[in-house]
Amino acid sequence: KEMGKSAQESYTQGRFEDALKTYNEIEKSGYVSWQLFYNLGNTYFKLKDNARAILYYERALKLNPAGEDIKSNLELVREFSIDKIDAVPEFIIYTWIKSLNYSFSSDTWSMMSIIFLLFIVLLILYYRYGHRRGFRKLAFLSSIFFALLLLFSISFAWSQKHSFNQRDAAIVINPVVSVKSTPDMSGKDLFILHEGAKVLIKEEVGQWRRIEIAD
């Protein structure tokens, strides 16, 4: 906590190298949070290391997918990237579901799942032991509705957890890298990527990676 406060003070005072050193020490200690990665992204951006700024904003976004400040800063720093890669448009329904999913964190969806489960139990108990026929029928129908909400909330929590645990993306840190047609130095150069470009890792062959970019 004291180290975080010290790093924030250094950042506020414009001593970005000192702030970076302290933030890196916090990270090396094993502490993980979206706030730490977000602050590291901000610090790298101030030091004009845009590739690592993108890297840490992406890491922060994995922990807090609904973070608007993270998204805004990530979009800003990408404007300075040489490679302008336009992602293939998603199917509109998929985009809407994804937006709904990331409107809350996985922890929030998990908590909501517990609440929905509690409602289901109470409604089933009323349906089983209640005396008024109309209310019993309403309780049964309501339990079905909350069961559907429970399935959605569990699915959303699981998908966010699964996405966070995936290690299928990388940020190019080197100023320039050549993309080869085959996993060896004699392969044909297909194109080059510059620092800050994001790639998806599809396969690993020794020290080589087969990649895919968003377009």
Side-chain angles (χ1 to χ4, degrees):
K1 190 173 180 179
E2 289 299 321
M3 291 179 69
K5 185 177 179 181
S6 173
Q8 191 61 43
E9 287 178 354
S10 296
Y11 182 91
T12 303
Q13 294 169 9
R15 294 184 287 111
F16 303 120
E17 291 284 358
D18 293 339
L20 179 62
K21 181 179 178 181
T22 306
Y23 282 134
N24 281 332
E25 288 177 1
I26 296 172
E27 184 184 16
K28 288 176 182 177
S29 71
Y31 181 76
V32 174
S33 74
W34 71 264
Q35 292 93 336
L36 172 61
F37 292 154
Y38 176 68
N39 288 332
L40 273 163
N42 289 339
T43 306
Y44 276 118
F45 182 60
K46 289 293 186 180
L47 292 169
K48 302 187 185 307
D49 189 341
N50 294 337
R52 286 182 173 80
I54 291 173
L55 173 64
Y56 278 97
Y57 285 143
E58 289 279 2
R59 289 179 175 176
L61 206 56
K62 264 185 171 286
L63 289 171
N64 181 21
E68 292 300 326
D69 288 341
I70 305 171
K71 294 176 184 177
S72 297
N73 286 13
L74 182 56
E75 289 179 10
L76 174 63
V77 71
R78 277 179 175 158
E79 291 296 320
F80 295 91
S81 298
I82 296 175
D83 299 313
K84 305 301 181 184
I85 302 172
D86 296 321
V88 176
E90 295 176 331
F91 187 49
I92 189 168
I93 295 179
Y94 175 78
T95 302
W96 180 80
I97 293 174
K98 185 178 178 181
S99 176
L100 177 62
N101 183 357
Y102 288 114
S103 59
F104 298 107
S105 68
S106 60
D107 289 341
T108 301
W109 282 119
S110 299
M111 183 62 66
M112 290 170 68
S113 298
I114 296 172
I115 294 172
F116 293 148
L117 181 60
L118 179 61
F119 277 136
I120 291 169
V121 171
L122 293 174
L123 289 166
I124 290 176
L125 287 174
Y126 185 85
Y127 173 74
R128 178 65 179 82
Y129 298 107
H131 299 293
R132 301 184 64 174
R133 182 180 178 85
F135 284 139
R136 287 180 62 202
K137 184 177 181 180
L138 180 61
F140 177 75
L141 294 174
S142 297
S143 68
I144 295 176
F145 172 72
F146 280 107
L148 291 173
L149 292 179
L150 175 63
L151 288 174
F152 277 117
S153 58
I154 290 175
S155 298
F156 287 162
W158 178 86
S159 67
Q160 284 195 31
K161 187 73 173 178
H162 177 70
S163 176
F164 173 73
N165 289 327
Q166 278 187 315
R167 295 293 181 265
D168 60 348
I171 304 299
V172 176
I173 298 297
N174 290 350
V176 179
V177 294
S178 296
V179 179
K180 299 282 189 177
S181 59
T182 57
D184 57 71
M185 293 304 296
S186 62
K188 177 184 177 182
D189 287 347
L190 297 177
F191 55 92
I192 62 172
L193 289 172
H194 300 84
E195 59 180 342
K198 181 178 180 179
V199 300
L200 299 178
I201 300 172
K202 310 302 289 186
E203 185 182 356
E204 298 185 13
V205 181
Q207 296 298 311
W208 295 83
R209 304 290 184 271
R210 184 167 68 87
I211 66 166
E212 181 179 285
I213 54 180
D215 61 1

